[in-house]
Amino acid sequence: MAKPPFYQQTVATLFQDLQTTDAGLSTAQAQERLARDGHNALNQQRRTTLVQKFIAQFKDFMIIVLLVAALIAGLTGEVVDAVIILIVVVLNAIFGVFQEAKAEEAINALKEMSAPNATVRRDGAVMTVKSDELVVGDIVLLEAGDIVPADLRLTDVATLKVEEAALTGESVPVEKASAVLTADDLAIGDRANMAFMNSNVTYGRATGVVVATGMQTEVGRIAGMIEAADETTTPLQENLTQLGKSLTILILVIAAIVFVMGMWRQTETWIDMLLTAISLAVAAIPEGLPAIVTITLALGTQRMAKRHAIVRKLPAVETLGSTDIIASDKTGTLTQNKMTVERVYQFGQLQDAHQLTFSTDDRLAQTMILSNDTKMTADGLVGDPTETALVQYQLDQKYPVEQVLADHPRVAEIPFDSERKLMSTIHPLANGQFLIAVKGAPDELLKRVTQVATETDVVPFTAEIKERILTTNHELATQALRVLAFAYRLVDAVPTTLTSETVEQGLTLAGMVGMIDPERPEVAQAVADAKSAGIRPLMITGDHKDTAAAIAARLGIIDAGDQQAVITGAELDELDDDTFAKQVKNYAVYARVAPEHKVRIVNAWQKQGKVVAMTGDGVNDAPALKAADIGIGMGITGTEVSKGASDMVLADDNFSTIVVAVEEGRKVFANIQKAIQYLLSANLGEVLTLFMMTMLGWQILAPVHILWINLVTDTLPAIALGIEPMERNIMKQPPRGRQSNFFSGGVFGGIIYQGLLEGGITLFVYWLALTYPVHAATDLAHADALTMAFATLGLIQLFHAFNSKSIHGSIFTVGLFKNRFFNWAILIAFALLAMTILVPGLNDLFHVAHLDAYQWGIVLLASFMMIIIVEIVKFFQRRVVK
């Protein structure tokens, strides 16, 4: 029979099962268990060496195609072709390794320091040991400020509160107790007699026995889920793989046709036709594409790093640009993970907290500070987040907190307990009396109130006043504010017996405050920007339904009062996967969810064909971060586990940085799309030229011609297109989604007609030069025609680069000369191309002839026609779209 969970077992039973006592283990027992069970640490992610990272870069399909092309070129004597292709491939791999290594360094610099030590009882004595040396059965002592070092079953509790936001997503600390719990299948957040690894003690003290360490803890279980999760492929990787496969098939078919047709015509030897087929393959393969994609992504990551977004994997930049859904954790991501006083009820009025000022002798202000266990240290305020929020509020209001504490030292107290929900402290006053300061839950405190403070006096606590206060309390609660009431009583002497009956009676109500973990100030605008970009933001949290709905409404994720868009984890459990998949679009807020729910939500949207980005900072977010198309971790508040599962880390924990990243991702995709249209239309023009020359029996451009044109036009101008400035209204367009690819949005049609146009113009110039030759001799006329075709094919691509600055927009609206690198790239490429014809010696090497001014005029005019014709086509395309 299976043992009941730890929270259902008595301490005595646990001690017996774990073979330990309240005095702790002996040192010998601890060493034996450490050797048996291993260290109390999570499995470290296996690190890859630089060599492994480098080899991994060659797994891409397009890279494999290029390597095969290089091998064939080398075997058939085209060594220059093979070397150039290999240089491009190696450079691409170096870029990828550099980026991954750089991101790893940044992530390592952001990693949190875990609790290095733990206070334990061993051999009957209290001692400090390294937390990774804890073993099952150890007795651990906790106090405020500690990080829980392992999973504990609490055995002795003194007003303990533990903040478990990283594990459950709930921002308010959980009150703990040691009593046995009888309910079955309790959620982690409801296991009140347990303390979990990596959670924070905010208040009180406790003793507990270690019941799980390392990967056996709740945190370890989640880490195990991450390890088991499959890696998702990004839309960019899918697009490049699809492109590579399509090009390979196309290249093989065309090369085979050319080879067969050449052999059928019997004008060339089979060796020459094989070389021709290879040169055609070289013309068809966009050798520079992997490098251009990598460089464009790398430059995007550099721009994002300056905006505090650290990209761990290059494709993640582009993936953000195709995002349909941003599913965000609430605590610490959308909110500040810090309780803040927002509303104050005093003297019968409810006011904005930051519009008030308090005098030194104001009883509400005094009670907020005095009935409070917050410690003021050099490193800031330490204590329960609710209590530190009260003190921080008064500090922000320039209230003399330290002076009040010094003038009114605590002489007696009745600590808070969860049954009566009150806390009382007693302090001396200058007139010899004593002030009893009480705070607690309004419904409990009001039972003990007999008077109410006004601005000038104290009046009886009537039924009418009570009703008004209860109405105000309900109003604040519906806004997801946590309400505390404050009261006081003046006595001549400290009561001899400190009980609720002797101290917390006949109280005067000083007021109430409403607190909330507020939203980050920049998030509402970020949500609005995301919505205007067609992206749907979701909130996924472990917090309560009302709190989640209120915050979501304040941020604009849902409309105020729209409870239909909110669902809890328990309600989600009642839906099977098929039903949930049909209804998933109805929900924008998910409350009281477990890690398994988050993964299920991400998967449901992915089944709808949506690209999902998941943000989060807690351990509980990590499985969903891994499952999402792109996981976005938080660098400052994020746990090591969540950062390790992320594709991108926000170094400033600023949600609005995600919108910047989305914008950058869209820009990167648009620029890669421009480069692809430019490269493939140019390569299609080259293939068409070679194919038709072969079919017509004309003298064919040599492999060296094609290689040089590719080297000159496929590198600098294409890279320059990758860093084009962002086009206007890019964030007003709907997301591309998973179904789109690099050929979407009219790009494929553009490649076809522009490639045909380039090839057609080149062939026309060749025909014109043969039909109306400058030289009478046949050999010279053919040499001129071949040279003019070579020059036209190169120049037409440089002119076409200007067309490619926008897929549909006119070059006169995107700015002809805004991109300085582009301008220099065109000039350098033109110089390199012209040099092969104009420089003596080089023209012999490239088998080209000198051209006169008339011939250059034809080449330039024909090449420039590319801009004019494409501009006309774009004009009519825009008219059709309108």
Side-chain angles (χ1 to χ4, degrees), residues 438-512:
V438 186
K439 81 165 185 292
D443 54 344
E444 291 298 326
L445 189 141
L446 290 178
K447 295 174 183 177
R448 296 159 171 83
V449 168
T450 58
Q451 302 175 102
V452 179
T454 67
E455 290 184 79
T456 57
D457 201 357
V458 172
V459 299
F461 187 52
T462 64
E464 182 184 345
I465 294 174
K466 182 178 181 179
E467 184 61 32
R468 189 160 62 241
I469 291 171
L470 289 174
T471 301
T472 302
N473 178 39
H474 177 71
E475 178 186 333
L476 294 173
T478 56
Q479 297 171 29
L481 296 176
R482 187 181 185 194
V483 184
L484 283 179
F486 299 86
Y488 65 93
R489 177 184 167 198
L490 300 177
V491 295
D492 295 327
V494 177
T496 53
T497 55
L498 298 175
T499 65
S500 182
E501 289 71 24
T502 60
V503 175
E504 298 167 344
Q505 300 297 330
L507 302 177
T508 300
L509 182 69
M512 296 188 301

Side-chain angles (χ1 to χ4, degrees), residues 4 6 48 95 107 186 189 327 384-385 390-391 422 456 493 512 550 565 606 645-646 681 697 706 802 804-805 819 867:
F6 297 120
T48 54
F95 270 117
I107 298 300
L186 283 178
D384 181 85
L390 297 172
V391 175
L422 297 173
T456 57
M512 296 188 301
Q606 287 174 330
S646 300
S681 59
I706 299 300
F802 285 95
S804 301
K805 287 167 80 74
N819 186 346
I867 289 181

